[in-house]
């Protein structure tokens, strides 16, 4: 397959490109990435000779149309992805997530190219801690933040283009990813690199909020299964039964790093902070036979901590700027 991977210099996209080069050497990969603050050439250094990297915006209709015309399938990761940034600057999320997806859709429509749209469980809003339900593909959309509202908007555009124009597209909504190459603005890498730089970890509010953690390799494995075997028009929920409160993640992380599990600061909570996300992944397992491989969270977290320890040159240049931004917000 000739694959066009948008946002391939970001966290999940770069891991997807690495896995593709390793496991599907017959594929050709073109990455389209605007190299925003979240995109990093270094993340693709190990596959530099195996891929084509095009620096450009998914809103550049002419460029997108040209690259789509040369492809058999598009895997669309590109987005503004950080909830806190979307609260401070909602317009960037709207532009990248809604208009960017619209531009991709118009190009795949024109050229009859298969699309997989990568989305998030945050489109479903949040659950109470004791709610026995989990998100399924029939859960109504109820986004809370500018980020999740714009991702919801992009999903709805994909559904409409499938129905109205017969575009061959699938959508996946995945839970919180962790693993190597994740930007230090996000929860787990922020806390690991806080410890590594002599800062105290920062927990929003009381830390009771629950996220449903999945290793990035498992997410990408599921995306690959959907690309190969998913039914156009369908939505697939990806999760690994990994519900944990932020407090418990932080305490585990501190223990794995040889620190006192209470050695952290409580900081100002996020506005509109979603309480709990939980994915029911049974449909994906039943229909496509996908199963996560990283089922021991502590093992996955240990390996992630080791990766950040061993790859300081990758994250160090970003760290002080990110922390200065958080400090301004009291976080
Ligand atoms: P990321 O922020 O690490 O990377 C996003 C990438 O997209 C960056 O390389 C950035 O430069 C690029 N990009 C942003 N705007 C662009 C534009 N206008 N044109 C071209 N490229 C642009 O994000 P991530 O965590 O890797 O997330 C990738 C996708 O997966 C997103 O669509 C996100 O909504 C979705 N997702 C993320 C998670 C998670 O836990 N991180 C979970 C579920 C779904
Ligand atoms: O659920 C999938 C989503 O997961 C993706 O769609 C998003 O792109 C991705 O950023 C992530 O969103 P979250 O808001 O859940 O992730 P974040 O890493 O920002 O925060 C995880 C939890 O940790 C959340 O409850 C907020 C909290 N938090 C975060 C930071 C950065 C803290 O307590 N302290 C922190 O310093």
């Amino acid at each position: 397959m000739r694959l066009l991977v948008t946002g391939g210099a970001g966290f999940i996209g770069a891991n997807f490109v690495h896995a593709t080069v390793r496991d599907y050497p017959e594929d050709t990969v073109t990455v389209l990435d605007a190299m925003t603050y979240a995109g990093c050439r270094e993340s693709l250094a190990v596959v530099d000779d195996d891929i084509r990297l095009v620096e450009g915006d998914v809103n550049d209709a002419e460029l997108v149309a040209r690259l789509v015309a040369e492809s058999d399938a598009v895997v669309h990761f590109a987005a503004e992805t950080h909830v806190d940034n979307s609260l401070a600057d909602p317009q960037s999320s709207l532009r990248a997530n809604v208009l960017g997806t619209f531009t991709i859709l118009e190009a795949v429509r024109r050229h009859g190219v298969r699309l997989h749209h990568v989305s998030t469980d945050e489109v479903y809003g949040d659950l109470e801690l004791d709610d026995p339900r989990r998100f399924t593909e029939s859960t109504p959309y109820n986004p809370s933040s500018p980020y999740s509202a714009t991702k919801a908007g992009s999903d709805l555009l994909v559904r409409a283009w499938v129905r109205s124009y017969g575009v061959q597209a699938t959508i996946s909504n995945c839970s919180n990813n962790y693993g190597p190459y994740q930007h230090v603005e996000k929860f787990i890498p922020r806390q690991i690199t806080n410890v590594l730089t002599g800062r105290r970890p920062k927990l929003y509010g009381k830390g009771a909020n629950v996220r449903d953690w999945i290793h990035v390799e498992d997410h990408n494995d599921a995306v690959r299964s959907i690309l190969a075997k998913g039914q156009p028009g369908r939505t697939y929920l990806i999760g690994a039964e990994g519900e944990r409160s932020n407090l418990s993640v932080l305490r585990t992380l501190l223990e794995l790093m040889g620190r006192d599990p209470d050695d952290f600061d409580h900081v100002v909570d996020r506005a509109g902070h979603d309480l709990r996300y939980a994915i029911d992944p049974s449909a994906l397992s039943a229909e496509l036979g996908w199963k996560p491989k990283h089922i021991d969270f502590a093992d996955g977290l240990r390996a992630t901590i080791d990766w950040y320890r061993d790859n300081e040159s990758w994250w160090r240049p970003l760290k002080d700027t990110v922390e200065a931004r958080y400090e301004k917000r009291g976080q």
Side-chain angles (χ1 to χ4, degrees):
M1 254 197 300
R2 295 170 303 167
L3 285 179
L4 176 62
V5 181
T6 73
F11 163 46
I12 306 175
N15 279 283
F16 181 87
V17 171
H18 297 169
T20 302
V21 168
R22 187 185 63 227
D23 301 334
Y24 299 87
E26 68 284 7
D27 286 354
T28 61
V29 177
T30 297
V31 168
L32 173 62
D33 199 297
M35 295 298 172
T36 68
Y37 79 95
C40 178
R41 276 175 192 278
E42 261 305 295
S43 303
L44 294 170
V46 288
V47 290
D48 202 26
D49 294 338
D50 306 299
I51 65 161
R52 173 169 62 144
L53 173 56
V54 178
E55 183 169 344
D57 195 312
V58 288
N59 283 297
D60 181 340
E62 216 172 286
L63 173 64
V64 167
R66 182 159 54 78
L67 297 176
V68 165
E70 297 166 1
S71 308
D72 300 311
V74 179
V75 186
H76 179 37
F77 291 99
E80 283 293 335
T81 64
H82 194 34
V83 173
D84 295 322
N85 293 346
S86 82
L87 289 162
D89 170 22
Q91 195 174 13
S92 296
S93 301
L94 195 73
R95 192 174 176 282
N97 304 357
V98 179
L99 295 177
T101 302
F102 163 75
T103 307
I104 295 286
L105 281 166
E106 284 294 84
V108 295
R109 168 160 91 100
R110 189 160 130 209
H111 295 287
V113 170
R114 166 92 166 85
L115 169 67
H116 180 70
H117 174 64
V118 178
S119 192
T120 170
D121 59 358
E122 298 200 13
V123 298
Y124 299 112
D126 60 353
L127 297 162
E128 291 300 325
L129 295 178
D130 59 357
D131 193 328
R133 291 170 305 169
R134 297 191 293 176
F135 301 141
T136 69
E137 64 189 279
S138 49
T139 304
Y141 276 32
N142 187 27
S144 327
S145 71
Y147 164 69
S148 54
T150 57
K151 289 298 290 189
S154 70
D155 294 8
L156 297 181
L157 290 178
V158 175
R159 290 183 182 192
W161 262 240
V162 167
R163 167 95 181 244
S164 302
Y165 303 118
V167 161
Q168 300 287 294
T170 41
I171 300 174
S172 56
N173 297 85
C174 187
S175 59
N176 283 65
N177 285 221
Y178 73 99
Y181 297 102
Q182 187 168 28
H183 198 281
V184 292
E185 70 188 351
K186 302 282 169 44
F187 180 54
I188 288 180
R190 184 181 183 206
Q191 313 315 335
I192 295 172
T193 53
N194 275 353
V195 173
L196 293 178
T197 54
R199 296 169 165 98
R200 279 162 68 86
K202 310 284 185 235
L203 189 67
Y204 292 178
K206 292 197 168 70
N209 308 65
V210 169
R211 296 295 182 265
D212 190 354
W213 293 98
I214 182 171
H215 195 280
V216 63
E217 284 173 8
D218 285 329
H219 178 186
N220 283 329
D221 218 27
V223 166
R224 192 70 208 204
S225 293
I226 296 165
L227 198 57
K229 300 184 274 182
Q231 271 179 41
R234 281 284 309 277
T235 286
Y236 296 90
L237 269 64
I238 308 173
E241 316 269 1
E243 282 187 68
R244 277 181 179 78
S245 73
N246 294 340
L247 178 62
S248 93
V249 171
L250 185 52
R251 289 176 65 97
T252 307
L253 187 150
L254 281 162
E255 279 170 12
L256 290 172
M257 296 187 80
R259 299 298 166 110
D260 179 335
D262 292 320
D263 191 13
F264 62 85
D265 296 330
H266 289 276
V267 293
V268 176
D269 207 350
R270 174 182 283 171
H273 198 172
D274 279 342
L275 188 52
R276 172 178 162 235
Y277 306 137
I279 292 269
D280 176 355
S282 55
L284 182 64
S285 309
E287 284 178 41
L288 302 187
W290 170 86
K291 287 214 170 4
K293 295 187 182 81
H294 296 268
I295 44 176
D296 186 322
F297 181 69
D299 273 358
L301 194 53
R302 193 177 295 110
T304 304
I305 292 167
D306 287 346
W307 189 87
Y308 281 90
R309 243 196 257 284
D310 296 343
N311 289 277
E312 184 166 344
S313 62
W314 182 86
W315 57 264
R316 196 67 185 80
L318 312 170
K319 183 67 184 168
D320 292 346
T321 314
V322 165
E323 287 309 315
R325 210 180 308 139
Y326 275 123
E327 206 175 327
K328 265 198 209 141
R329 302 200 288 245
Q331 292 180 320

